[in-house]
Amino acid sequence: MPAQPSLFDPPHQTPQQTIDGASPPSPALLAAARLHALLAELTLLNEEIPIIVEGARDITALRGIGLTGELIQLHCGQTLAAFAERISHAHPSVILLLDWDRNGRQLHTQLTRHLESDWEPYHYVRHDLIALCSPAISTVEELPNHVTGRRALLDAMPPRRPRP
């Protein structure tokens, strides 16, 4: 006598089929959707919290993808210690969005040692960007072109059928 299926057993499906019969999204499509969501969240956060970037081209890049809040350039002629002290006194919290190349990683490490502002709750933004964009890009200024390519991938996705 065959065993009765458990209510907790998944329904029989082929590996490339979901419950509604559509193919599951590709890893590239999932990454594009996650990147889009992360940037939407970053845009909302930036309405209240300033973002620190390395240079002027990073500011231009973030403006190009829709951020409208305060963006602060790290390279402004001050030492890291003086910059961090000024930022800590002016802002209770900040988002650090330094490049994830070798120089950016070093600056990030050094700046976090000096900052008294609350930046840790937003560390995930940079971490997730690195995870979603590496190895394709390693700098903030490359984001607009990368995002454009990812948006094209999302736009090419066929519309989902509504569930009955």
Side-chain angles (χ1 to χ4, degrees):
M1 172 184 263
Q4 289 287 345
S6 164
L7 291 174
F8 301 103
D9 290 338
H12 179 70
Q13 299 175 21
T14 61
Q16 293 297 314
Q17 188 179 31
T18 61
I19 292 172
D20 65 358
S23 297
S26 70
L29 187 60
L30 289 173
R34 288 182 183 130
L35 179 60
H36 180 74
L38 180 64
L39 293 176
E41 181 178 353
L42 181 61
T43 301
L44 289 174
L45 287 170
N46 184 232
E47 290 176 5
E48 302 290 326
I49 302 164
I51 297 174
I52 297 175
V53 296
E54 289 181 44
R57 287 186 281 194
D58 297 333
I59 290 174
T60 302
L62 292 179
R63 293 284 184 232
I65 59 173
L67 276 74
T68 58
E70 185 175 3
L71 302 175
I72 302 169
Q73 182 176 325
L74 173 64
H75 296 305
C76 61
Q78 289 184 303
T79 65
L80 277 177
F83 176 83
E85 184 176 340
R86 178 174 60 90
I87 293 300
S88 293
H89 290 293
H91 303 285
S93 60
V94 294
I95 298 170
L96 297 180
L97 195 54
L98 306 178
D99 295 343
W100 46 100
D101 59 6
R102 184 175 184 218
N103 186 50
R105 287 191 311 268
Q106 289 173 342
L107 284 171
H108 185 268
T109 300
Q110 293 168 355
L111 183 57
T112 58
R113 289 184 189 145
H114 293 290
L115 273 179
E116 295 172 16
S117 294
D118 197 4
W119 62 270
E120 290 94 345
Y122 309 105
H123 178 67
Y124 74 92
V125 173
R126 182 173 179 269
H127 182 274
D128 289 356
L129 269 176
I130 292 169
L132 291 168
C133 297
S134 292
I137 65 171
S138 62
T139 65
V140 173
E141 69 185 68
E142 295 173 291
L143 268 174
N145 288 337
H146 188 69
V147 168
T148 299
R150 296 299 180 182
R151 281 194 184 137
L153 183 62
L154 286 174
D155 292 342
M157 186 175 81
R160 294 191 57 101
R161 297 185 310 230
R163 290 189 178 185

